[in-house]
Amino acid sequence: MAPLPDLRVRLLRDADLDAYKALRDHAIAHHEEAFTSDAATEAQRTAQSYRARLGSDVGGGFTLGAWRADRLVGAITCERDARSKVRHVGHVVGTMVALDQQSQGVGRALLDALISRASDDDELHQLTLSVTASNRAAVRLYERAGFTRYGTLPNAIRVGGRFFDKDLMVLNLR
């Protein structure tokens, strides 16, 4: 896919937290089956409560945002565990794209930027994620980026009395 000239991907900062929360609340409300968190609980959180997702030098995690002009249209997070035995594994979480921006390459641009940044970190050897198995577009996005499924957690989440499986995926960076 060709680069999107009007799309800018960069690390999120403190000043972006209000935009991040608005995007997240909207994404969860419209695709609750795609998130482990529920819309009602997340709506109660403050923007500042997401501060830890921005990362730190200690943890090594980070969140990237995709911007069109001054509008945050997508985000993706890589979380890291500080424990030495598992520091080589990054976890891709919270991938989201504004409804009116879907199928326009925003998710792919974010995922490519995350993989590139993770690949530059000599300590990171693999990335993992879980994705709702019935979300074929998201599964295809991850597969095209090189992720492979290593398992499925049946009935991983329940939304409105309906169960959804989660595919567990991994990408080896080295």
Side-chain angles (χ1 to χ4, degrees):
M1 177 174 289
L4 305 169
D6 63 334
L7 189 73
R8 193 174 81 255
V9 176
R10 66 165 172 80
L11 286 171
L12 291 187
R13 307 181 286 252
D14 282 341
D16 303 321
L17 286 172
D18 287 334
Y20 177 80
K21 178 175 172 32
L23 176 67
R24 184 171 168 80
D25 286 350
H26 187 77
I28 293 174
H30 287 87
H31 294 291
E32 197 162 9
E33 74 285 351
F35 295 87
T36 305
S37 302
D38 68 276
T41 301
E42 294 299 295
Q44 300 300 314
R45 291 180 64 173
T46 66
Q48 285 300 313
S49 71
Y50 294 105
R51 172 69 185 81
R53 287 212 166 175
L54 300 184
S56 69
D57 292 337
V58 175
F62 57 91
T63 296
L64 299 171
W67 298 84
R68 283 216 159 100
D70 63 350
R71 180 179 173 217
L72 180 65
V73 297
I76 191 169
T77 298
C78 179
E79 292 182 343
R80 301 272 303 274
D81 193 311
R83 295 175 294 178
S84 64
K85 291 181 180 180
V86 291
R87 289 251 340 123
H88 65 285
V89 180
H91 307 284
V92 180
V93 299
T95 305
M96 59 193 118
V97 175
L99 291 177
D100 67 334
Q101 301 292 309
Q102 293 178 0
S103 300
Q104 296 183 35
V106 175
R108 183 58 195 244
L110 284 163
L111 185 58
D112 286 349
L114 182 141
I115 292 169
S116 176
R117 185 177 175 90
S119 294
D120 288 343
D121 184 331
D122 291 337
E123 285 188 0
L124 269 176
H125 290 253
Q126 64 185 5
L127 296 172
T128 68
L129 60 85
S130 71
V131 59
T132 303
S134 59
N135 186 343
R136 295 306 310 152
V139 171
R140 276 192 308 276
L141 170 71
Y142 296 126
E143 287 174 341
R144 287 182 184 143
F147 282 84
T148 57
R149 185 171 62 84
Y150 66 89
T152 299
L153 179 59
N155 300 326
I157 61 171
R158 185 173 64 187
V159 180
R162 188 168 166 220
F163 289 96
F164 295 87
D165 297 348
K166 289 280 189 176
D167 281 346
L168 310 174
M169 303 184 84
V170 64
L171 173 69
N172 290 312
L173 300 171
R174 309 274 175 246

